[in-house]
Amino acid sequence: KRLRANGKKPMVAIAAVMRKIVVTLNARLRDAMIPQS
């Protein structure tokens, strides 16, 4: 909503959210792998 309020297209805001989610998931997977290896 904040991004759209700045004049961004809805698709851009969605892409930004998806990217943040992917980064978070990657970080969790990496942190979960470290103790095992």
Side-chain angles (χ1 to χ4, degrees), residues 2-37:
R2 179 175 54 82
L3 289 173
R4 291 183 64 180
N6 287 339
K8 299 295 186 182
K9 294 183 178 65
M11 200 63 199
V12 175
I14 293 172
V17 172
M18 290 298 295
R19 186 161 58 245
K20 181 176 181 179
I21 291 173
V22 170
V23 170
T24 301
L25 288 176
N26 284 340
R28 286 187 181 183
L29 286 174
R30 184 192 64 220
D31 293 344
M33 292 279 188
I34 292 175
Q36 299 174 357
S37 57

